[in-house]
Amino acid sequence: DQQVKQNSPSLSVQEGRISILNCDYTNSMFDYFLWYKKYPAEGPTFLISISSIKDKNEDGRFTVFLNKSAKHLSLHIVPSQPGDSAVYFCAPVGGATNKLIFGTGTLLAVQP
Amino acid sequence: DTAVSQTPKYLVTQMGNDKSIKCEQNLGHDTMYWYKQDSKKFLKIMFSYNNKELIINETVPNRFSPKSPDKAHLNLHINSLELGDSAVYFCASSQATEQFFGPGTRLTVL
């Protein structure tokens, strides 16, 4: 009963191109969404977030898009850099306790 | 000046033993969490404390007992370790929605 799915376990992109990571969720009550990036042997680090009252949030090379009706969000990275190679997790905030419900993760490999 | 630290980073132990993992944050946050990342890489919340008070307790076996001596520390004690407890355990803290994670503790039960 995975509430948050990232259907691409891995993605390979050339340096300089756009990376698009997708996330689907089932709970329409989610109203805040975070993206985390994780390098091997390290903890996840916060990347960017979006509130359900917006459909887009941009921070430098990173843009997150939210389609509430489709219960879908995506993270765009442009231009992609080799240092972006990591696992990316989508994490909606669930309920009043602020717990994060992590997606299954997508391993991004940016080829030089 | 590490924000969220965990000790130890690696822990190898035998089945049936009792072990503890410690977590400290120097960010002044009120809320701390424990997450488990299993062999399939799923990251799931286990517990959350706000100002030393338990606010989230997911369906975790009662062999796992969190303890928060003060709001900067949240330790995880595990009794009677089982093979299935092998995982990476992450501590996190937050003041608002964004959570800051520690480096993780890789627990291996033999």
Side-chain angles (χ1 to χ4, degrees), chain B residues 51-62:
Chain B
N51 271 321
K52 302 195 298 174
E53 183 182 340
L54 181 67
I55 57 170
I56 296 176
N57 185 351
E58 295 290 299
T59 49
V60 176
N62 57 15

Side-chain angles (χ1 to χ4, degrees), chain A residues 2 32 34 36 38 41-44 46 89 93 97-100 102 104, chain B residues 9 33 35 37 42-43 45 55-56 58 90 96-99 101-103:
Chain A
Q2 190 71 23
Y32 201 80
L34 294 84
Y36 277 81
K38 185 182 180 305
E42 294 184 14
F46 171 73
F89 290 98
V93 179
T97 54
N98 266 359
K99 69 178 182 182
L100 297 181
F102 280 86
T104 46
Chain B
K9 190 163 176 64
Y33 310 79
Y35 286 83
Q37 186 176 35
F42 294 139
L43 256 168
I45 182 84
I55 57 170
I56 296 176
E58 295 290 299
F90 289 98
T97 309
E98 180 187 341
Q99 294 180 21
F101 285 78

Side-chain angles (χ1 to χ4, degrees), chain A residues 45-91:
Chain A
T45 54
F46 171 73
L47 195 56
I48 192 169
S49 63
I50 189 165
S51 163
S52 60
I53 61 173
K54 294 186 174 182
D55 55 16
K56 177 181 172 181
N57 187 28
E58 191 172 349
D59 183 1
R61 296 185 298 113
F62 302 91
T63 303
V64 56
F65 295 92
L66 174 62
N67 183 333
K68 279 187 66 180
S69 60
K71 297 194 191 72
H72 177 85
L73 60 159
S74 61
L75 174 68
H76 293 210
I77 307 172
V78 58
S80 301
Q81 298 174 354
D84 297 329
S85 298
V87 177
Y88 289 79
F89 290 98
C90 163

Side-chain angles (χ1 to χ4, degrees), chain B:
Chain B
D1 60 344
T2 305
V4 182
S5 59
Q6 296 178 228
T7 52
K9 190 163 176 64
Y10 300 97
L11 183 54
V12 181
T13 188
Q14 299 285 337
M15 272 176 56
N17 284 349
D18 303 338
K19 289 293 179 186
S20 292
I21 307 172
K22 295 187 176 182
C23 177
E24 176 181 2
Q25 54 97 3
N26 62 7
L27 297 166
H29 291 164
D30 287 335
T31 308
M32 296 184 72
Y33 310 79
W34 277 108
Y35 286 83
K36 177 181 180 180
Q37 186 176 35
D38 61 23
S39 56
K40 294 184 179 178
K41 307 300 183 187
F42 294 139
L43 256 168
K44 288 188 178 175
I45 182 84
M46 299 173 69
F47 300 103
S48 174
Y49 270 73
N50 181 274
N51 271 321
K52 302 195 298 174
E53 183 182 340
L54 181 67
I55 57 170
I56 296 176
N57 185 351
E58 295 290 299
T59 49
V60 176
N62 57 15
R63 296 182 295 104
F64 289 78
S65 52
K67 285 191 171 48
S68 182
D70 55 61
K71 74 173 195 177
H73 296 85
L74 181 61
N75 303 322
L76 184 64
H77 188 76
I78 315 170
N79 287 331
S80 304
L81 277 155
E82 299 177 357
L83 292 176
D85 297 332
S86 295
V88 182
Y89 292 85
F90 289 98
C91 176
S93 74
S94 73
Q95 192 61 25
T97 309
E98 180 187 341
Q99 294 180 21
F100 294 79
F101 285 78
T105 296
R106 180 174 290 278
L107 171 65
T108 303
V109 182
L110 303 175

